[in-house]
């Protein structure tokens, strides 16, 4: 079986590990333009196509395209969470500290699935209070250059901090 293919319990055939991501990727590969989120069709796939289209520049350098797309999906979701949700004006109303553990699920045909952590940080509601706990908890970050085909692509997966400024409340 290739990357992205998975035989699930109680299913007759092989399915993809993330149908929406694989569907969006296949549509982009065929030349489909990202659609607006309000257009008819699948909003989830349209959103993924919009976000994924600009992240495929190094795709041809990667040895396995679905693996490359998986890491790009992680970056897309991580960036949305860190850049758009956490800085929200109301996010910190009921919390004073958060811990963020991010990564990808590696679906395996045998031996059970595994979680591959790629980020582990805490942050309080004070600016610039992020603390990176990854190395303490898991050891050094994995070197993803070989899997992603370039140092640039590997560095994008690794580099992100929870340090940002809270967005102002609007009326």
């Amino acid at each position: 079986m290739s990357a992205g293919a998975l035989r699930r319990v109680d299913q007759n055939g092989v399915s993809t590990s993330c149908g929406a991501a694989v569907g969006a990727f296949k549509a982009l590969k065929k030349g489909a333009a990202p659609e607006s989120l309000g257009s008819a069709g699948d909003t989830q796939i349209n959103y993924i196509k919009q976000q994924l289209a600009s992240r495929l520049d190094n795709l041809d350098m990667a040895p396995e395209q679905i693996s490359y797309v998986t890491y790009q999906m992680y970056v897309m979701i991580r960036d949305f969470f860190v850049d758009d949700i956490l800085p929200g004006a109301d996010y910190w109303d009921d919390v004073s500290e958060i811990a963020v553990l991010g990564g990808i699920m590696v679906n395996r045909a045998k031996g059970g699935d595994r979680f591959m952590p790629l980020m582990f940080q805490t942050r309080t509601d004070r600016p610039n209070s992020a603390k990176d706990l990854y190395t303490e908890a898991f050891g050094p970050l994995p070197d993803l250059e070989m899997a992603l085909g370039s140092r640039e692509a590997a560095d994008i997966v690794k580099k992100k901090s929870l340090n940002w400024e809270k967005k102002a409340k609007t009326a």
Side-chain angles (χ1 to χ4, degrees):
M1 252 185 288
S2 63
L6 179 65
R7 184 176 299 277
R8 299 178 193 275
V9 175
D10 296 329
Q11 284 189 350
N12 293 330
V14 174
S15 64
T16 59
S17 53
C18 178
V22 172
F25 171 62
K26 286 181 178 179
L28 289 170
K29 266 188 84 169
K30 289 180 182 175
E35 300 169 39
S36 69
L37 295 182
S39 64
D42 190 322
T43 302
Q44 181 183 23
I45 289 178
N46 289 340
Y47 178 80
I48 293 170
K49 285 193 308 191
Q50 283 182 353
Q51 299 299 311
L52 190 58
S54 64
R55 299 174 192 272
L56 299 178
D57 293 342
N58 294 323
L59 178 68
D60 292 333
M61 295 168 57
E64 175 56 59
Q65 290 187 340
I66 294 296
S67 295
Y68 182 89
V69 168
T70 299
Y71 284 104
Q72 298 314 304
M73 290 295 298
Y74 162 76
V75 170
M76 182 180 82
I77 293 164
R78 179 203 62 199
D79 290 354
F80 176 72
F81 182 71
V82 172
D83 296 338
D84 295 326
I85 293 176
L86 292 181
D90 297 330
Y91 185 85
W92 293 96
D93 288 353
D94 297 317
V95 298
S96 60
E97 185 174 14
I98 61 167
V100 177
L101 176 62
I104 62 170
M105 284 300 299
V106 179
N107 301 121
R108 301 175 348 146
K110 294 180 182 176
D113 298 343
R114 299 289 188 265
F115 178 71
M116 180 179 174
L118 295 169
M119 176 185 203
F120 185 29
Q121 296 178 30
T122 61
R123 158 122 195 206
T124 69
D125 55 356
R126 293 185 319 272
N128 298 314
S129 61
K131 181 177 179 187
D132 194 327
L133 302 172
Y134 188 94
T135 303
E136 181 182 336
F138 305 112
L141 280 161
D143 185 352
L144 301 172
E145 183 174 0
M146 213 170 170
L148 296 175
S150 75
R151 172 62 39 210
E152 175 190 8
D155 286 345
I156 290 169
V157 172
K158 291 181 178 183
K159 294 180 180 175
K160 192 67 173 185
S161 172
L162 295 181
N163 283 326
W164 32 255
E165 294 299 320
K166 201 161 103 170
K167 292 180 181 174
K169 290 186 179 186
T170 57

